[in-house]
Amino acid sequence: MMSMLGKNIVFGMGLLILQFSNSVSAQNYQVDLALPDSEPVVGTTKTELVGSMGQDYAAILNADSTISHQIMSSDRAYNGFYRGLFACVSPDSKAYYPEGSGYLDSKSLSKTSWVAVTAAGKPVISDQNVLKDGLKVGLPYEPAALLPVVPQEGMNYEVADNYLTNLKKVAAGRLDVAVLPLSSIDVFLDKDKSLQSAVSYDPDKPLAVVSDAIMCHDSEAGRAVLEKVNTAIQAAGIGSK
């Protein structure tokens, strides 16, 4: 989430579609499962399910070969799902959407911990309410795409979809805090050693933990695919408890 990579591009459009279209009742899907060609899914290949999450998808699809899938760009995967072209999309979670959006989650595949990163020496922030204390907060997505993670009102947010940019702004004092997925923080700090001593965070004190899932439309066809997906997840012996 890095379960949500690329989703923010079309998240706003997805909410707009939900307001004006009953896309969740679509029956004639083009494919059962849309998967974005992001690094956690395909690694560096763009076509093979070899990324950290892609290996789980491969195991699910091997467990049930009747589940059709297609790898595509992130904007096409999520926008197509919002428009009812695909029964399911992943990685995602209904937790990121307003109640009543008409989505269902599969059994949990993994979990994404969202943590607050501050400049070195600053207090650790593990309470969402602390973000309301006049702080300038960096986000990788619009706050509406992070409903369970950050407050939606009375905030001073600055959105930059590049995780490294957010980290560097915290280190330089241009942001008081950045809210990022833990897995991505570790990746970028490993690549840029100079940042390791410039920022601080506590992996054991996340602002929120959200289960990553295969998210499907709450329609007859969507529920049928979801049933197969959940059976395949169990058969493959993957997922988080």
Side-chain angles (χ1 to χ4, degrees):
M1 139 169 302
M2 202 166 55
S3 64
M4 296 174 65
L5 182 62
K7 189 182 80 170
N8 190 57
I9 300 172
V10 292
F11 183 86
M13 184 177 292
L15 293 182
L16 186 64
I17 291 169
L18 281 173
Q19 292 176 15
F20 295 100
S21 168
N22 189 24
S23 63
V24 296
S25 64
Q27 300 292 315
N28 299 316
Y29 299 119
Q30 294 180 3
V31 70
D32 292 337
L33 175 59
L35 298 171
D37 59 0
S38 56
E39 189 275 336
V41 177
V42 298
T44 59
T45 69
K46 291 297 182 183
T47 58
E48 303 294 330
L49 297 175
V50 296
S52 57
M53 300 190 73
Q55 295 176 49
D56 284 346
Y57 299 134
I60 292 167
L61 296 169
N62 285 334
D64 189 339
S65 60
T66 68
I67 301 172
S68 62
H69 78 286
Q70 188 174 345
I71 299 170
M72 60 194 74
S73 66
S74 292
D75 63 338
R76 184 184 170 207
Y78 289 102
N79 197 17
F81 174 79
Y82 296 145
R83 292 184 177 277
L85 301 180
F86 313 126
C88 308
V89 69
S90 188
D92 212 337
S93 171
K94 67 178 184 179
Y96 291 116
Y97 298 82
E99 187 175 352
S101 294
Y103 301 143
L104 299 172
D105 281 350
S106 71
K107 295 179 178 179
S108 178
L109 301 178
S110 58
K111 294 184 183 296
T112 294
S113 292
W114 290 88
V115 301
V117 182
T118 57
K122 298 290 185 180
V124 170
I125 297 175
S126 58
D127 183 350
Q128 295 181 18
N129 289 322
V130 175
L131 299 177
K132 297 179 180 180
D133 294 340
L135 300 178
K136 190 172 185 179
V137 182
L139 300 177
Y141 311 107
E142 294 293 337
L146 295 171
L147 285 177
V149 181
V150 296
Q152 298 297 298
E153 298 180 353
M155 299 297 302
N156 182 14
Y157 288 129
E158 182 174 312
V159 178
D161 61 6
N162 185 293
Y163 295 161
L164 184 57
T165 296
N166 280 284
L167 289 170
K168 287 184 174 180
K169 285 184 176 181
V170 170
R174 295 167 57 191
L175 290 173
D176 295 308
V177 58
V179 178
L180 299 169
L182 177 61
S183 58
S184 298
I185 296 171
D186 293 338
V187 168
F188 284 107
L189 292 187
D190 284 344
K191 292 180 179 179
D192 192 331
K193 302 297 184 182
S194 64
L195 281 175
Q196 291 185 3
S197 60
V199 299
S200 177
Y201 64 98
D202 189 338
D204 296 323
K205 295 182 178 180
L207 292 173
V209 178
V210 180
S211 292
D212 301 313
I214 293 176
M215 189 175 74
C216 302
H217 287 294
D218 186 6
S219 66
E220 182 179 354
R223 290 190 294 272
V225 175
L226 183 62
E227 182 176 359
K228 293 197 293 183
V229 163
N230 280 332
T231 300
I233 289 173
Q234 184 171 353
I238 61 174
S240 60
K241 297 180 180 180

